[in-house]
Amino acid sequence: MRRENQSSVSEFLLLGLPIQPEQQGAFFTLFLGMYLTTVLGNLLILLLIRLDPRLHTPMYFFLSHLAFSDVFFSSVTVPKMLVNMQTQDQSIPYAGCIAQMYFFLLFICLDNILLVVMAYDRYVAICQPLHYTAVMREGLCALLTAGSWFFSCVHALLHTLLLSRLSFCADNTIPHFFCDLAALLKLTCSDTSLNELVIFTEGGVFAFLSLSAILGSYIHIGATILRVPSIKRICKTLSTCGSHLFVVFLYYGTLATIYFFSSANNSKVKDIVASVMYTVVTPMLNPFIYSLRNRDMKLALGILYRKGIIFAK
């Protein structure tokens, strides 16, 4: 179809969450509380890492970027969802929808890459402890972080540009609470074979490489520990890697459970549930996981709390 047909759709309608009208108030309060917890919790992690010199290490440097990413990842979709629930105005401009999709893809990709980088950091720390400071030098950490942001921007821009070339006709209703790429592709009246090919190849290769890198890092870590097994060494490794492993299982386990072990006749609901887990639940749990399971973070939190009491006096 001709390019000018794209202008026939100036806005989209977001159907939101599949909940009853009488439950809107309760869910609004729930998701508002979860969003505020996500933002404040991740900002607290950033503050602790910034203020405590003991946390100025590569692991916490990457964690600070993960926390920063999670704040914006949730902020891309949740505020608009809350506004729609409160005002009952389901519309979103075409440009706003495309922008929302771009930033959603950017931050979901960035989270993914940062988890891989953090796994590599743990691999070097445990498998090559004598060379850790030489390998994980400041320049490499900055390069890995910059590369993560660059690749995430390219990934999001690629899919955004491919979507922008498509035409949208009469149907502008998105059965979701945000502008999801898959939902938008179902609305277009253009040929989406190129988009689907890129999603399958680029997305598949990216997911495979990410999982392979994380699994490879922890297989090497496990093999290193088992060479000279000791309770003290195993406990120290679990203390160091436990938080990251828990987040990885939460991140990928949610997708595996919903997309591979749920019934096919409930696809729309499972897509929404998966997105809620990604955009609301996982970013909210990250601060609790990294603070409650991490001794250094708990010490820094205690110091900050005591300083707060002193300043209050």
Side-chain angles (χ1 to χ4, degrees):
M1 299 187 74
R2 295 191 304 272
R3 173 82 178 182
E4 56 265 28
N5 285 346
Q6 184 177 348
S7 61
S8 62
V9 172
S10 60
E11 65 178 18
F12 293 96
L13 297 178
L14 298 171
L15 292 186
L17 300 173
I19 55 180
Q20 299 300 320
E22 60 272 16
Q23 299 175 323
Q24 291 277 357
F27 275 93
F28 175 83
T29 304
L30 173 65
F31 284 113
L32 177 61
M34 295 173 72
Y35 174 67
L36 292 177
T37 302
T38 298
V39 173
L40 295 176
N42 283 287
L43 289 179
L44 178 61
I45 285 181
L46 288 171
L47 180 64
L48 292 176
I49 294 174
R50 177 70 179 86
L51 295 179
D52 194 332
R54 291 172 303 174
L55 301 182
H56 294 173
T57 63
M59 182 177 75
Y60 294 107
F61 174 73
F62 298 132
L63 177 59
S64 66
H65 280 269
L66 182 66
F68 180 85
S69 174
D70 281 342
V71 170
F72 285 93
F73 184 36
S74 290
S75 299
V76 168
T77 57
V78 178
K80 176 60 178 173
M81 177 186 71
L82 293 174
V83 170
N84 289 358
M85 293 174 68
Q86 190 69 10
T87 64
Q88 301 300 315
D89 180 14
Q90 299 175 316
S91 63
I92 182 172
Y94 175 85
C97 187
I98 298 300
Q100 187 185 60
M101 186 203 72
Y102 170 82
F103 285 108
F104 178 83
L105 293 174
L106 189 157
F107 288 113
I108 199 172
C109 180
L110 182 60
D111 272 11
N112 220 322
I113 300 176
L114 287 174
L115 289 176
V116 175
V117 172
M118 292 171 76
Y120 173 71
D121 173 73
R122 293 300 83 206
Y123 158 75
V124 177
I126 295 172
C127 299
Q128 303 177 30
L130 299 179
H131 301 94
Y132 180 73
T133 53
V135 174
M136 300 303 295
R137 58 193 183 278
E138 186 176 341
L140 179 62
C141 293
L143 182 63
L144 289 173
T145 306
S148 301
W149 278 94
F150 176 77
F151 182 82
S152 301
C153 290
V154 171
H155 166 80
L157 185 62
L158 172 64
H159 291 286
T160 303
L161 291 176
L162 287 175
L163 181 72
S164 65
R165 55 181 279 276
L166 303 178
S167 300
F168 295 91
C169 301
D171 190 6
N172 67 337
T173 303
I174 301 175
H176 221 306
F177 65 90
F178 72 99
C179 294
D180 180 51
L181 176 60
L184 286 169
L185 289 178
K186 292 178 182 178
L187 294 182
T188 181
C189 45
S190 302
D191 181 17
T192 60
S193 57
L194 178 60
N195 300 71
E196 293 168 357
L197 178 63
V198 172
I199 291 172
F200 179 77
T201 53
E202 189 258 357
V205 169
F206 174 67
F208 174 77
L209 291 178
S210 298
L211 277 172
S212 298
I214 293 173
L215 289 174
S217 296
Y218 279 104
I219 287 173
H220 278 88
I221 289 172
T224 301
I225 296 171
L226 293 176
R227 283 198 202 106
V228 188
S230 70
I231 300 298
K232 184 179 179 180
R233 195 176 186 190
I234 292 174
C235 290
K236 184 178 179 180
T237 302
L238 288 176
S239 174
T240 305
C241 303
S243 301
H244 179 259
L245 266 176
F246 193 89
V247 172
V248 169
F249 281 123
L250 183 66
Y251 193 85
Y252 290 103
T254 299
L255 288 184
T257 301
I258 293 173
Y259 283 101
F260 294 103
F261 300 107
S262 60
S263 58
N265 58 359
N266 212 17
S267 58
K268 288 184 180 179
V269 174
K270 75 175 184 179
D271 287 347
I272 294 175
V273 171
S275 299
V276 168
M277 291 295 296
Y278 257 91
T279 59
V280 184
V281 179
T282 302
M284 181 191 69
L285 291 179
N286 281 354
F288 294 100
I289 295 169
Y290 281 105
S291 59
L292 295 178
R293 293 182 55 87
N294 190 291
R295 185 184 63 180
D296 293 334
M297 292 294 291
K298 285 189 285 188
L299 286 173
L301 187 59
I303 293 172
L304 182 65
Y305 177 72
R306 288 192 294 272
K307 284 183 178 179
I309 293 177
I310 293 171
F311 288 135
K313 292 178 180 179

